[in-house]
């Protein structure tokens, strides 16, 4: 578990996923990708991708937790699914721009 800070970059130890923290609450969070903890250097030896968390991430997409207090941006895609304490993060809906005529 760790306290995340805005602008922090993390890497998965089980796939190529890399993320940047956009907003985060000031509390300990267990952020995982592919079932393994995310770290600043992506080093997780002897850990493999959990098939239950292998839906993948998409570059340029933002992911949020259920209450919306955590928002992260995928800067490099991978095979792992992002989660907080086992709860999958959702893809953030894009905002509709106003129509101009």
């Amino acid at each position: 578990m760790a306290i995340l800070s805005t602008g922090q970059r993390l890497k998965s130890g089980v796939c190529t996923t890399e993320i940047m923290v956009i907003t985060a609450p000031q509390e300990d969070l267990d952020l995982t990708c592919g079932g393994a903890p995310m770290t600043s250097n992506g080093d997780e030896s002897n850990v493999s991708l959990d098939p239950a968390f292998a839906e993948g991430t998409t570059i340029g997409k933002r992911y949020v937790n259920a209450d919306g207090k955590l928002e992260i941006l995928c800067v490099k895609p991978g095979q792992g699914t992002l989660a907080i304490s086992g709860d999958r993060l959702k893809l953030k809906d894009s905002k509709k721009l106003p129509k101009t005529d």
Side-chain angles (χ1 to χ4, degrees):
M1 290 193 167
I3 295 179
L4 303 176
S5 59
T6 300
Q8 183 178 10
R9 290 184 68 137
L10 299 170
K11 298 178 182 180
S12 171
V14 296
C15 70
T16 58
T17 300
E18 294 183 23
I19 59 108
M20 182 172 33
V21 178
I22 303 299
T23 58
Q26 291 298 311
E27 58 189 65
D28 282 340
L29 297 174
D30 183 22
L31 179 61
T32 60
C33 182
M38 296 201 71
T39 62
S40 59
N41 61 6
D43 184 29
E44 285 294 321
S45 44
N46 301 325
V47 179
S48 60
L49 183 67
D50 183 347
F53 291 95
E55 296 171 11
T57 54
T58 306
I59 190 168
K61 297 295 182 180
R62 293 177 184 232
Y63 294 84
V64 295
N65 63 345
D67 63 10
K69 292 183 179 177
L70 173 70
E71 182 176 333
I72 59 176
L73 172 67
C74 178
V75 294
K76 188 173 180 185
Q79 298 172 340
T81 301
L82 298 165
I84 296 272
S85 302
D87 294 327
R88 287 175 171 81
L89 298 182
K90 303 181 301 184
L91 191 61
K92 184 176 180 179
D93 293 329
S94 57
K95 293 180 182 177
K96 302 238 185 222
L97 296 175
K99 194 174 187 179
T100 60
D101 292 329

